[in-house]
Amino acid sequence: MPARLATQLAAFQEALARVDSEAALYELQVAYLGKKGTVTQLRGEMGKLPPEERKGFGAEWNRVRNAIEAALEERRAYLKEQARRLDLARVEDLTLPPLRPPAGTLHPLSQTRRRLSESFQRLGFSLAVGPHVEHSKYNFDDLNVPKDHPARDMADTFFIRPHRHPGFDDHTDNDAAMRLRAGELVLRTHTSPVQVRTMLTQKPPIRIVALGTTFRCDDDATHSPMFHQIEGLYVDRGVTMADLKATLMDFTRDFYGRRLDVRFRPSFFPFVEPGAEFDIGCPFCGGDGCNLCKRTGYIEIGGCGMVHPAVFEACGIDPEVYTGWAFGFGVDRMTMSQHAVPHLRHMFEGDVRFLEQFP
Ligand code: PHE
């Protein structure tokens, strides 16, 4: 074999042994067999040889090129196989259980809201909803709340100033909004306006609960400017206060999972007559008196009473024909008493250390 060819072949073989990737292999191929590769160039030199040597050189050149091509191919197959094996080895123990991303849980208030609505749905009530931004007619007037009632005070109620929404004309009835006078729009201070909305659109018998967010200018250990209520309303012929008490006793047993003492205390709400506060026997001390019930043995759940005839009249229901009762309970308060949560603030801070305790 001509010396120059032998040198190239030896150099190629040495370089090939060091190749450890398909990319490097390709570079090597180009360096020897590419257009300007060293072996390719040797072929061009053939023309300079005396004619009798040409043939032999050509045959040798072909052998060298074939040998290089074969070696490249072999090396390429080997590298591919090695890469495949590495890839398979990388897939670790397939029998390991997958890592599950930690799932969140329902907020304690949402849990209470679900349980409340389930309890009342079992008792035959359906769910009704109403807006958070409410007209004072539904929040106060139709509920027989007089114009000078303290609840209407700026210090108790969040009033909303009507204003134009520039650029929102497609979605917002700006003209209707501007016809509202100051003091006519409020963040609903209770869920009772849902009573009015229901009675204006449905005829008795009516049996609904409304569950949702309510707002008042209040902030301390047991009050928050945003809180939650559940409202119940039952209207039909011959509904009495005895039905109210029986329903609330059934509900209490269903919700707390056992029989608890219940009591009515006479109280005043403009939209009921007679009106009462509804208390349950403290679920923690069984009525003996503890910190949670402030040593009274009872926990206050909310207000209730027989729907006032003036409310029926405002809603177009004949008070001579129909009677009904309503209640409004504090959902946050019920949740706090159920889990012995000391401060209402915990409910709305979103602290994971608190929320984790309600799986
Ligand atoms: N709406 C009353 C409140 O928020 C509760 C209530 C509802 C009382 C229905 C009587 C009847 O305090």
Side-chain angles (χ1 to χ4, degrees):
M1 181 184 291
R4 278 176 304 170
L5 272 177
T7 319
Q8 287 302 327
L9 184 58
F12 166 80
Q13 277 160 345
E14 210 190 295
L16 183 69
R18 289 194 302 267
V19 162
D20 57 359
S21 74
E22 290 190 63
L25 190 69
Y26 181 73
E27 266 175 38
L28 191 64
Q29 177 169 5
V30 170
Y32 283 83
L33 297 183
K35 248 197 209 137
K36 293 183 183 147
T38 48
V39 173
T40 310
Q41 271 167 3
L42 282 180
R43 185 160 193 247
E45 288 174 17
M46 220 162 81
K48 297 177 200 151
L49 291 173
E52 64 279 10
E53 281 178 32
R54 260 185 226 162
K55 211 172 157 211
F57 185 91
E60 286 298 326
W61 187 90
N62 276 336
R63 266 188 38 208
V64 167
R65 193 222 21 223
N66 289 346
I68 291 179
E69 275 182 348
L72 284 168
E73 225 24 74
E74 194 189 320
R75 190 73 184 170
R76 184 168 288 124
Y78 167 79
L79 287 173
K80 265 212 174 84
E81 174 61 19
Q82 205 184 30
R84 198 179 77 90
R85 237 181 280 136
L86 270 174
D87 194 36
L88 283 178
R90 186 184 53 82
V91 179
E92 282 153 23
D93 185 353
L94 291 173
T95 62
L96 274 177
L99 293 175
R100 284 179 206 287
T105 54
L106 279 181
H107 191 278
L109 279 175
S110 302
Q111 297 185 22
T112 310
R113 284 170 65 158
R114 285 200 180 183
R115 290 192 49 224
L116 283 169
S117 63
E118 280 164 15
S119 272
F120 278 105
Q121 279 175 293
R122 269 196 289 276
L123 291 172
F125 289 77
S126 51
L127 283 177
V129 288
H132 294 178
V133 176
E134 186 55 282
H135 199 287
S136 57
K137 178 170 154 58
Y138 297 152
N139 195 82
F140 294 128
D141 302 301
D142 291 353
L143 286 166
N144 197 36
V145 180
K147 290 270 184 244
D148 58 355
H149 193 278
R152 297 194 188 229
D153 201 285
M154 293 280 281
D156 280 305
T157 299
F158 292 107
F159 288 90
I160 303 226
R161 202 180 310 120
H163 67 281
R164 202 164 268 285
H165 292 264
F168 282 94
D169 279 308
D170 293 353
H171 314 288
T172 317
D173 192 343
N174 269 325
D175 293 331
M178 294 316 287
R179 276 197 294 276
L180 289 166
R181 279 184 302 271
E184 282 189 321
L185 270 193
V186 301
L187 289 182
R188 66 177 181 189
T189 61
H190 49 179
T191 40
S192 300
V194 183
Q195 283 187 39
V196 177
R197 289 176 173 272
T198 305
M199 287 191 279
L200 284 172
T201 53
Q202 291 176 32
K203 291 286 144 250
I206 291 169
R207 211 154 23 169
I208 56 116
V209 282
L211 240 174
T213 315
T214 45
F215 308 86
R216 281 181 211 175
C217 310
D218 240 347
D219 208 358
D220 61 37
T222 51
H223 297 87
S224 143
M226 180 204 69
F227 58 108
H228 300 84
Q229 284 194 336
I230 180 168
E231 186 90 12
L233 175 70
Y234 178 28
V235 182
D236 203 352
R237 290 169 199 265
V239 173
T240 71
M241 195 109 177
D243 299 318
L244 172 59
K245 192 156 191 181
T247 306
L248 293 184
M249 284 171 76
D250 272 355
F251 154 71
T252 308
R253 196 177 50 220
D254 189 48
F255 185 78
Y256 288 94
R258 66 202 142 114
R259 251 207 143 76
L260 289 173
D261 200 9
V262 302
R263 78 175 181 193
F264 281 175
R265 270 181 298 121
S267 185
F268 174 77
F269 301 93
F271 30 91
V272 287
E273 178 58 37
E277 299 275 352
F278 177 67
D279 300 341
I280 59 165
C282 176
F284 293 101
C285 61
D288 296 340
C290 65
N291 277 341
L292 278 147
C293 60
K294 299 186 193 112
R295 319 224 162 267
T296 61
Y298 285 91
I299 287 181
E300 194 183 305
I301 299 292
C304 59
M306 299 303 292
V307 179
H308 198 288
V311 176
F312 277 145
E313 262 157 24
C315 299
I317 290 181
D318 188 349
E320 296 298 328
V321 179
Y322 295 105
T323 52
W325 49 248
F327 64 79
F329 295 166
V331 175
D332 319 77
R333 199 184 295 171
M334 293 180 82
T335 311
M336 284 173 78
S337 71
Q338 202 189 345
H339 300 292
V341 177
H343 202 293
L344 186 53
R345 187 182 56 216
H346 296 305
M347 293 289 184
F348 306 120
E349 276 178 343
D351 189 324
V352 182
R353 291 167 301 180
F354 172 74
L355 297 173
E356 270 175 351
Q357 297 174 51
F358 303 88

